[in-house]
Amino acid sequence: MPAEPLIRWSWVADHPAEIGAALGQHVLLTVLAVLGGLAISLPLAVAAHRYRRAEAPITWVAGVIYTIPSLALFVLLIPVTGLSVLTSEIGLVGYTLLILVRNTLAGLDGVPSDVLEAADAMGLTRLQRLVRVEVPIAVPVIVAGIRIATVTTVGLVTVTALIGQGGLGQLMLTGFINLFPTEIYVGALLSVALAVVADAGLLLLQRALTPWARVRGAGA
Amino acid sequence: MAENTLRGRALSATDAGTSPRARRAATVALEHVSKRFGDRADGQLAVDDLDLFVPAGATCVLVGPSGCGKTTTLRMVNRLIEPSGGRILIDGAPIAGRDPTELRRGIGYVIQQVGLFPHQTIAENVEVVPRLLGWPAARRRERVEELLRLVGLDPARHLRRYPAELSGGERQRVGVARALAADPPLLLMDEPFGAVDPIVRARLQEELLRLQRELGKTILFVTHDIDEAIRMGDLVAVMRQGGTLAQFAPPAELLARPASDFVARFVGTDRALKRLTLRRVGELTPASVPLAVAGEPVGAGRARAGSGAPGRLLLVDREGHAVGWLDARGLPDDRPADVAAAQPPTPLLQPETTLRDALSLLLDAAGSPGIVVDGAGRPMGLVTVEAITAALQDVDGDAGPDTRQAPPGGPSDPSARRDAPGAMDGDRGRPAAGTPLPGG
């Protein structure tokens, strides 16, 4: 019996649909988690920015969630939400909160005071100031947070295979069960590639969104 | 270029539906205004029972050491800070009842750090207030280009750039353009030129004076620099620690008659020299000058100079330009006045030269009188150190001490000072082209 190679390419060629489905599930779980995290974090960060008393409790809760080991969290949620997408997303979203809240808050706090003074003095309302000035200026720092959250989530999604939610983790899992290295390595390499591509894509997105952040002083 | 500017103005005036280029300026009155920071009644008083009246179209400079409440005062006018007592009126109407955002959209605001929005282009930065006011895009665009030209920036080069790509001086110009965008009748400026180097600062000051002559806005201007206050202000309010008003007067009066030792110390021991910066050579009556035409006999010049028979004659060429001093002592009457034998015609003074600069030039020239020449280089007369000293005495004599605290008579007063002879724009309209310069 010949030694099993690390990757048997014929298997890869024979199973594009299975690999593609796993990759698709992985991407979907990641995107849902990051979008869900943003939907919760942005208002929380804005609230913490506006009402400084709320900052400590918000970051404390986000920090506590972050410290719970992922597998333990999924297992603890199963009695409540079952082996569902919801279970995995609750965990995944929870882990993005600390990063996203902190970065968004840092971005908002980093808006120069003279810019805020000018905005107020020109007669922008609080909401106009937030939407037209503070958030756009915070975008580079917010996107930096999204990049970290996305890469972290890509890694965590592999764990959700253990509660039956598919993704590239499922390939690795069946590989382990069947002692079939090809599936393990395809899953591992694709998740690494996904993390790298997502990170680079978000960086490009940030550059496209903030052309002003790259210009450097001509005079000054 | 000039045509474009004119067309742009006509268009925007039509769009606005207001009288074209009407001077819009507001009066500002502070009545017993005070500000106490902190909740308790024993909190620190930043501004203490301040009374000020700024006529429409005047530039009023608030000046004083740090902690005198000048910035607090400024920020109460657009309600960035609410007064603890007293009231503020713009055009006679109290601002306390007005919606702060609506109030602020009608008041230009310029600060030291400029506060441009880094994520927006220069065009977007300038049109912030017009956008808030709901101007259509075409009118905003028109206005932005007009404003950039007004503050000396080339729209083609700057419209699409970001603030980070500009120098400090350019950024501050954009800040001024932004403040003027919706043509507000009142501008608040908080140390607007404090962060740029002295050369750029002097240029920006000069340009703001030029702009102000054109626009006639009411300006409240905060600085800690007494020289800037004297240069920029029609009225200067000197404040001292604790937020009290030490003196409120036109600059000349402030320098000639400081109301207290504090004011005297604050304006500096060189206040006589500072007063010289407020007056210009054109305000003096120059002494007549003994002229001789180059090439003509010396005797003709002597005859023209009359009985004084001066030792030196000022040589002019056929077009009347000063070309040199000729020492005529000992020269026979029939000797042609020879340019080659003459000394250079210095020092030359223009009517718009400040008396301070004129005095400096005269001191350098070791006793030689200054030749006042018009824009074409033709001599108008002579000015001496004695004439300048006498001019200072005049100011001391002609105003009584009773006028000390009184604001100037009316709205026309400040512009009258700016339009005085020797104002920088005075020689603009002259047909300089084709007129040869002396010594050529």
Side-chain angles (χ1 to χ4, degrees), chain B residues 11-249:
Chain B
L11 273 177
S12 64
T14 316
D15 283 358
T18 54
S19 56
R21 289 292 114 196
R23 285 193 164 195
R24 292 211 305 138
T27 62
V28 179
L30 279 70
E31 297 178 349
H32 304 292
V33 170
S34 61
K35 176 63 190 180
R36 195 181 288 280
F37 284 110
D39 299 335
R40 300 176 155 278
D42 59 354
Q44 184 69 37
L45 259 183
V47 176
D48 186 4
D49 196 31
L50 191 62
D51 277 304
L52 283 179
F53 179 78
V54 185
T59 301
C60 173
V61 181
L62 306 174
V63 65
S66 55
C68 72
K70 53 192 190 292
T71 292
T72 302
T73 303
L74 193 78
R75 292 165 60 107
M76 285 193 285
V77 176
N78 64 358
R79 296 189 61 188
L80 287 175
I81 296 177
E82 295 293 342
S84 311
R87 57 180 200 158
I88 298 171
L89 303 95
I90 294 177
D91 272 338
I95 62 169
R98 295 178 62 182
D99 172 40
T101 56
E102 180 264 342
L103 172 77
R104 290 170 192 162
R105 288 170 192 179
I107 300 176
Y109 192 67
V110 182
I111 52 177
Q112 178 176 335
Q113 299 304 330
V114 195
L116 294 181
F117 297 164
H119 62 299
Q120 295 188 341
T121 62
I122 301 311
E124 290 166 334
N125 265 285
V126 173
E127 67 176 15
V128 167
V129 177
R131 190 187 284 267
L132 289 172
L133 295 174
W135 290 20
R139 182 175 166 209
R140 293 202 305 262
R141 171 83 187 195
E142 198 79 53
R143 181 65 177 155
V144 167
E145 294 195 3
E146 177 189 2
L147 282 163
L148 288 185
R149 279 191 287 268
L150 191 67
V151 298
L153 294 174
D154 178 9
R157 273 192 62 216
H158 291 96
L159 275 176
R160 298 185 181 286
R161 302 177 89 182
Y162 289 102
E165 299 174 273
L166 269 52
S167 70
E170 287 171 329
R171 276 200 283 268
Q172 196 51 269
R173 285 164 200 260
V174 175
V176 172
R178 179 178 69 175
L180 290 169
D183 201 24
L186 171 63
L187 283 185
L188 307 179
M189 310 184 89
D190 190 355
E191 306 235 6
F193 310 137
V196 293
D197 67 70
I199 293 168
V200 175
R201 184 183 314 142
R203 198 160 64 216
L204 290 176
Q205 286 171 342
E206 197 54 59
E207 288 183 17
L208 181 64
L209 288 172
R210 169 185 63 79
L211 262 180
Q212 174 61 350
R213 276 193 296 273
E214 196 173 323
L215 301 176
K217 302 287 181 193
T218 304
I219 299 178
L220 276 180
F221 188 111
V222 161
T223 180
H224 61 265
D225 175 358
I226 185 67
D227 292 310
E228 185 167 64
I230 288 164
R231 185 157 190 214
M232 305 307 292
D234 301 307
L235 290 164
V236 178
V238 183
M239 297 176 69
R240 60 188 303 175
Q241 271 100 350
T244 56
L245 188 61
Q247 188 168 4
F248 184 41

Side-chain angles (χ1 to χ4, degrees), chain A residues 41-58:
Chain A
S41 305
L42 289 185
L44 283 180
V46 167
H49 179 64
R50 176 80 188 270
Y51 309 101
R52 298 317 304 207
R53 276 182 208 171
E55 181 183 348
I58 287 172

Side-chain angles (χ1 to χ4, degrees), chain A residues 30-47 93-94 96-97 100-101 104 142 146 149:
Chain A
T30 304
V31 169
L32 279 177
V34 174
L35 288 182
L38 274 176
I40 296 171
S41 305
L42 289 185
L44 283 180
V46 167
V93 165
T96 64
L97 295 183
L100 292 176
V101 166
T104 306
I142 295 175
I146 295 175

Side-chain angles (χ1 to χ4, degrees), chain B residues 326-379:
Chain B
L326 183 67
D327 190 347
R329 281 170 297 194
L331 291 180
D333 274 353
D334 57 351
R335 174 82 58 88
D338 181 7
V339 180
Q343 300 295 313
T346 56
L348 284 176
L349 308 173
Q350 276 81 41
E352 59 267 28
T353 308
T354 65
L355 290 192
R356 185 185 172 120
D357 290 348
L359 181 63
S360 176
L361 288 166
L362 292 180
L363 292 176
D364 255 357
S368 170
I371 309 156
V372 186
V373 293
D374 64 17
R378 298 188 189 87

